[in-house]
């Protein structure tokens, strides 16, 4: 069922860094956090898109800045986090969302593909988080939300590099929860199935008859939306999730139930 976004001010005054917020899920999370009262820092390579989203958020009355960066460049995670922490004075929330997909069975994967995907999906969140931790640890009440995938739990042919890189991020989620939970940082992961209105699903949706082959296997009888992911991301950033550490929210509409 569609529903209009509402705001309960759950994140009032929090400073949130959302990587990969120029489109899709990251954009939806940045907008949702802003509606909840957070000051948001958006990142991405497509400056025109990122500036436009930040401008719209500001027009709606929230505070937002866009930082242009290719997070796979050496030193970029540290530089982006530094600039983000300076934007509004500190950091309370980090969403590790930036990622890329590569399709194709393992025997067709090139070393370049492997390095590009694992660098962005695994190495980047590792070093963004490492750089953000000194800021997150200063206030004893911070949250890290990682964006994983259903594919880390239930894999499929043709996604070996992508799904395994996200499985690594899910494992980091649990390790970080153990390492930093005692110091007041909640670390959790949202793992969606196909998100029908987010760009990364385009390759899969172009190859599959969703009505015939996917929806009959999904108890919710619909695919995930960016709104579903943003709602879960608000929950994991807000006070309602204070007792969640190292948990996966599996947004699969019941597929694996
Ligand atoms: N769509 C789905 O069905 C689905 C399902 C499960 C999980 N997910 C996850 O959801 C997240 C968002 O996916 P999406 O569907 O919303 O796709 P998307 O719109 O392509 O989002 C990817 C984001 O990452 C950024 N990005 C890509 N390469 C980058 C780089 N080298 N440096 C910095 N930023 C980079 C992109 O911005 P620029 O291009 O501007 O750099 C974009 O904002 C990803 O973590 C994905 O794995 C998606």
């Amino acid at each position: 069922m569609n529903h209009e976004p509402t705001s309960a001010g759950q994140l009032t005054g929090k400073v949130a860094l959302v990587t990969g917020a120029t489109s899709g899920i990251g954009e939806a999370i940045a907008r949702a956090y802003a509606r909840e009262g957070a000051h948001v820092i958006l990142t991405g390579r497509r400056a025109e898109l990122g500036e436009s989203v930040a401008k719209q958020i500001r027009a709606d009355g929230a505070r937002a800045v866009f930082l242009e960066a290719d997070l796979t460049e050496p030193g970029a995670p540290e530089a982006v986090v530094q600039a983000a922490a300076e934007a509004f004075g500190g950091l309370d929330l980090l969403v590790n969302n930036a990622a890329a997909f590569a399709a194709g069975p393992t025997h067709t994967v090139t070393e370049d593909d492997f390095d590009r995907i694992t660098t962005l999906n695994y190495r980047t969140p590792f070093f963004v988080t490492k750089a953000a931790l000194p800021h997150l640890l200063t206030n004893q009440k911070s949250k890290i939300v990682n964006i994983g995938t259903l594919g880390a739990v239930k894999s499929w042919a043709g996604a070996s590099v992508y799904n395994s890189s996200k499985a690594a991020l899910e494992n980091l989620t649990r390790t970080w929860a153990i390492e930093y939970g005692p110091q007041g940082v909640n670390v959790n992961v949202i793992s969606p199935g196909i998100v029908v209105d987010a760009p990364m699903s385009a390759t899969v949706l172009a190859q599959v008859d969703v009505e015939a082959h996917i929806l009959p296997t999904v108890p919710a009888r619909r695919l995930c939306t960016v709104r579903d992911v943003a709602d879960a991301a608000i929950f994991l950033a807000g006070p309602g999730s204070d007792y969640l550490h190292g948990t996966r929210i599996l947004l699969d509409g019941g597929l694996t139930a």
Side-chain angles (χ1 to χ4, degrees), residues 119-141:
T119 298
L120 182 61
N121 297 6
Y122 175 33
R123 190 181 195 282
T124 290
F126 187 98
F127 285 101
V128 167
T129 301
K130 180 185 172 190
L133 275 165
H135 304 285
L136 297 170
L137 286 166
T138 56
N139 66 11
Q140 302 280 304
K141 202 95 184 148

Side-chain angles (χ1 to χ4, degrees), residues 56-242:
Q56 286 165 33
I57 291 174
R58 288 195 295 271
D60 289 339
R63 299 178 74 192
V65 295
F66 171 72
L67 301 175
E68 180 184 351
D70 181 338
L71 286 170
T72 64
E73 295 286 334
E78 296 77 11
V80 161
V81 168
Q82 189 57 35
E86 284 167 10
F88 301 115
L91 272 184
D92 305 291
L93 306 170
L94 167 63
V95 181
N96 283 309
N97 169 77
F101 181 73
T106 298
H107 68 275
T108 67
V109 173
T110 65
E111 285 191 28
D112 280 353
D113 287 340
F114 184 92
D115 291 344
R116 184 173 56 85
I117 299 299
T118 56
T119 298
L120 182 61
N121 297 6
Y122 175 33
R123 190 181 195 282
T124 290
F126 187 98
F127 285 101
V128 167
T129 301
K130 180 185 172 190
L133 275 165
H135 304 285
L136 297 170
L137 286 166
T138 56
N139 66 11
Q140 302 280 304
K141 202 95 184 148
S142 300
K143 311 234 174 183
I144 299 173
V145 179
N146 293 325
I147 306 300
T149 175
L150 167 63
V153 181
K154 184 183 189 307
S155 202
W156 67 87
S160 56
V161 184
Y162 174 77
N163 283 344
S164 62
S165 70
K166 289 289 187 172
L169 181 61
E170 294 215 0
N171 188 280
L172 285 175
T173 302
R174 295 191 290 277
T175 305
W176 290 336
I178 295 164
E179 289 180 342
Y180 302 105
Q183 297 165 72
V185 185
N186 295 75
V187 191
N188 294 290
V189 60
I190 299 169
S191 305
I194 297 170
V195 181
V196 66
D197 51 352
M200 213 178 279
S201 61
T203 322
V204 174
L205 291 175
Q207 294 165 354
V208 178
D209 183 338
V210 171
E211 285 285 333
H213 300 299
I214 297 188
L215 293 191
T217 69
V218 180
R221 293 291 186 269
R222 67 171 178 84
L223 296 180
C224 189
T225 65
V226 295
R227 187 66 219 162
D228 293 314
V229 185
D231 282 346
I234 291 171
F235 171 65
L236 287 182
S241 62
D242 281 354

